Amino acid sequence: MDFNVRKLATDAGIFFSRAVQFTEEKLGQAEKTELDTHFESLLSRADCTKNWTEKIYRQTEVLLQPNPGARIEEFLYEKLDRKIPPRATNGEILGQFMLEAAKEFGPGTPYGSTLIKVGDCQRRLGGAQRDFLQTSSISFLTPLRNFLEGDWRTISKERRLLENRRLDLDACKARLKKAKASEAKAAAAPDFQETRPRNYVLSASASALWNEELDKAGHELRVAQTEFDRQAEVTRLLLEGINSTHVNHLRCLCEFVEAQTVYYNQCHKYMQELQRELGRGCPDSLEVNSHGVGSPTDPSAVLPLNSPSPDTDALQIEEVQPPASGTRKAKVLYAYDAGDSSELSLMADELITVYTVPGMDSDWLIGERGNQKGKVPVTYLELLS
């Protein structure tokens, strides 16, 4: 190994000098070359981009893979440059368990046949999730990671070089300033009496020495200024490239949203198909009362579409009149198709008048729209007044 002690000592001296100079700048004991306002704005924008890109990247990883152990495993495979082995999604595993359970219980039994239907749906949901994870990783996570591990590292490296060039420039400015002050001091108050020839020669030699030192300091300052300007231009070009990074990330974000849309549409389609199958095969006792479990995001998940409302035979809609206590306005949250002539079909976001009558189930209200009247489910409404 080629070990250069002199170079090591020189580098250590430069590092120590820069550390001292940086500390003096922080304490206000040394002058600092300030960057222009536009350059400072580019630096701030770059730092902001890096910080938020890192946060979005990390949280997207958590969204796509909530299991931290699995994330660590995938990270190790990537660092070792090895292909990540295929891993079944939770939906696929659950579907497989349900299908195996159906074989044990008997596929001809009501429970077994339902397990087969739900298990098959879960496997399809898991497959859709797998496609979504792969698409999101390629179109969204990979570009963000490439920026953090590629472009940002290059920017950080050039910024460190620029900071070193700035410290060298300020050191040269301080050296030139000191040389000028020493020369002026020597010219104003020479150290030797010029009455004797020997002292006159020494004084002239000292003056020439300071002139030489001044010229050397001036030359070093010009070189340092040139290197600083060149490095500042390189760093500026990299920082201005952040705008292109934003454009690229915007495109990737749109692709991520598109992948999410496709994924959730597939899930909604599969669940609707499953609901229709279960609606034909499940006993009435399995229909869940939505009032008891809380309002769902999609009311059809707990209230079968076109299901008959309670007390249909006992309540004559034509004879119902608004109570003396008054009526209320309600906004329809979801579209609803009437199950029979006693119910009122609803369109999403429309406003209707609602009220209740004695003896009516608490999950239903009487709704009126113009001359139309019928029972409507409470879970589909947002009461306004």
Side-chain angles (χ1 to χ4, degrees):
M1 182 177 64
D2 187 12
F3 187 74
N4 193 328
V5 178
R6 179 176 296 179
K7 184 178 183 302
L8 180 63
T10 301
D11 293 341
I14 294 175
F15 176 81
F16 180 75
S17 300
R18 287 173 176 170
V20 172
Q21 181 181 351
F22 188 79
T23 303
E24 290 177 347
E25 289 177 354
K26 290 297 182 181
L27 297 176
Q29 299 176 357
E31 295 182 1
K32 177 182 177 181
T33 299
E34 299 292 344
L35 301 171
D36 61 80
T37 305
H38 177 63
F39 200 98
E40 291 287 356
S41 176
L42 291 176
L43 290 174
S44 177
R45 182 178 175 84
D47 290 333
C48 183
T49 300
K50 182 262 182 182
N51 292 335
W52 283 112
T53 300
E54 196 169 40
K55 290 179 180 180
I56 293 173
Y57 174 79
R58 300 303 177 195
Q59 193 57 38
T60 305
E61 277 190 323
V62 174
L63 173 67
L64 299 180
Q65 180 51 266
N67 188 346
R71 292 202 303 273
I72 294 176
E73 181 181 354
E74 293 175 357
F75 174 78
L76 293 177
Y77 273 104
E78 290 179 0
K79 292 302 180 183
L80 295 175
D81 198 18
R82 297 179 58 183
K83 184 178 180 181
I84 301 176
R87 180 188 296 109
T89 62
N90 293 330
E92 292 173 322
I93 296 175
L94 176 60
Q96 185 63 33
F97 286 170
M98 288 184 174
L99 294 176
E100 293 176 0
K103 294 180 181 179
E104 293 289 335
F105 298 142
T109 63
Y111 184 37
S113 61
T114 304
L115 278 173
I116 291 177
K117 296 175 183 177
V118 178
D120 182 65
C121 179
Q122 294 299 326
R123 292 181 64 178
R124 287 188 292 168
L125 290 173
Q129 183 185 16
R130 178 193 298 275
D131 295 339
F132 167 63
L133 295 179
Q134 292 177 348
T135 302
S136 300
S137 178
I138 295 174
S139 63
F140 190 60
L141 281 182
T142 299
L144 297 185
R145 182 171 62 247
N146 290 340
F147 167 74
L148 294 172
E149 296 181 355
D151 295 347
W152 182 252
R153 288 185 178 180
T154 302
I155 292 175
S156 300
K157 177 183 176 182
E158 297 301 328
R159 287 178 65 176
R160 288 193 297 270
L161 289 175
L162 178 62
E163 183 66 12
N164 290 337
R165 296 291 182 267
R166 186 194 63 77
L167 291 173
D168 293 343
L169 176 62
D170 290 340
C172 291
K173 289 180 178 180
R175 194 176 301 119
L176 179 62
K177 184 178 180 180
K178 182 178 179 181
K180 289 182 177 180
S182 299
E183 183 189 31
K185 182 179 179 181
D191 296 333
F192 301 98
Q193 297 292 333
E194 299 185 5
T195 54
R196 298 182 180 180
R198 181 175 177 275
N199 289 342
Y200 179 80
V201 172
L202 291 176
S203 178
S205 300
S207 178
L209 184 62
W210 283 118
N211 288 334
E212 182 181 351
E213 183 67 21
L214 188 62
D215 294 340
K216 181 180 178 181
H219 174 72
E220 292 178 350
L221 176 60
R222 289 189 294 272
V223 173
Q225 185 68 56
T226 301
E227 294 180 351
F228 172 78
D229 293 341
R230 183 186 300 113
Q231 185 60 38
E233 184 62 25
V234 172
T235 308
R236 184 191 301 274
L237 292 175
L238 290 174
L239 294 176
E240 290 176 347
I242 292 294
N243 292 329
S244 299
T245 299
H246 285 190
V247 173
N248 182 43
H249 288 182
L250 173 60
R251 178 182 58 80
C252 297
L253 181 61
C254 292
E255 293 179 359
F256 176 64
V257 173
E258 180 65 23
Q260 277 187 311
T261 303
V262 172
Y263 169 58
Y264 289 121
N265 283 340
Q266 286 181 327
C267 293
H268 181 66
K269 175 184 175 182
Y270 295 153
M271 293 307 300
Q272 282 186 321
E273 293 174 354
L274 176 63
Q275 188 183 40
R276 285 193 292 268
E277 293 181 8
L278 297 183
R280 294 192 297 266
C282 285
D284 294 339
S285 59
L286 294 182
E287 294 181 4
V288 181
N289 187 330
S290 62
H291 179 71
V293 298
S295 298
T297 301
D298 183 359
S300 63
V302 296
L303 186 64
L305 295 177
N306 300 325
S307 62
S309 59
D311 302 328
T312 301
D313 297 333
L315 188 63
Q316 299 297 326
I317 296 299
E318 295 78 5
E319 301 176 359
V320 173
Q321 297 297 328
S325 58
T327 61
R328 303 178 67 177
K329 290 292 184 180
K331 179 182 178 181
V332 179
L333 299 177
Y334 320 98
Y336 176 73
D337 295 329
D340 54 44
S341 59
S342 67
E343 297 180 8
L344 178 66
S345 296
L346 303 174
M347 294 182 294
D349 297 328
E350 70 172 328
L351 294 178
I352 62 174
T353 302
V354 296
Y355 53 88
T356 186
V357 295
M360 190 174 183
D361 191 281
S362 59
D363 291 339
W364 295 79
L365 292 172
I366 300 297
E368 291 186 359
R369 183 201 307 112
N371 297 327
Q372 296 179 318
K373 182 190 303 183
K375 291 186 292 187
V376 293
V378 174
T379 53
Y380 282 62
L381 305 175
E382 177 186 357
L383 298 179
L384 301 178
S385 61

